[in-house]
Amino acid sequence: MLEGFDFSTDEVHTWEIEAIWHAIDVGTLAFSRHAAQELSLDGLHQEDVLDAISFYDEVSKDLPDNAPGRAPGINFDRHLETVTVRAKVGWNQGGYYIVITVMAN
């Protein structure tokens, strides 16, 4: 696979999600420094983010150059009783998936 996502469409493909789940399973999903800081600010743990990715309620894709200031990647939203956890997963050209940012609102 040359790229982690199909950015020719905003449709999220099953293979894209399964590749991210595989990265979780084999321990190669990384957290960016920004994502790690956001975890702390929002009172989240890495397990909360992994749960949001694994058991998401909604999923969407941000295409390159589609929204100024937003990184391309796949957004996973998990709705809990009082909060929604969102995790954005991007692709590093080095060949691995990376959690770019997280938030709870």
Side-chain angles (χ1 to χ4, degrees):
M1 173 173 36
L2 296 176
E3 293 193 23
F5 304 115
D6 175 5
F7 285 129
S8 68
T9 177
D10 63 358
E11 176 187 352
V12 179
H13 300 289
T14 302
W15 66 264
E16 293 170 312
I17 294 171
E18 289 174 350
I20 294 167
W21 288 347
H22 177 73
I24 292 172
D25 289 344
V26 299
T28 59
L29 179 72
F31 280 75
S32 71
R33 183 177 310 188
H34 174 75
Q37 291 170 340
E38 291 297 317
L39 283 173
S40 177
L41 291 174
D42 289 338
L44 297 171
H45 302 279
Q46 284 190 358
E47 293 80 18
D48 299 320
V49 174
L50 299 178
D51 283 350
I53 294 169
S54 298
F55 306 107
Y56 63 89
D57 294 307
E58 295 178 42
V59 64
S60 61
K61 186 185 293 182
D62 288 328
L63 301 175
D65 302 322
N66 193 29
R70 293 186 69 156
I74 296 183
N75 304 300
F76 295 88
D77 292 331
R78 175 126 193 244
H79 306 296
L80 305 174
E81 287 182 26
T82 60
V83 69
T84 296
V85 176
R86 170 172 274 194
K88 175 176 273 188
V89 177
W91 171 254
N92 178 294
Q93 292 302 318
Y96 60 91
Y97 293 93
I98 184 166
V99 177
I100 299 170
T101 191
V102 298
M103 70 179 79
N105 56 15

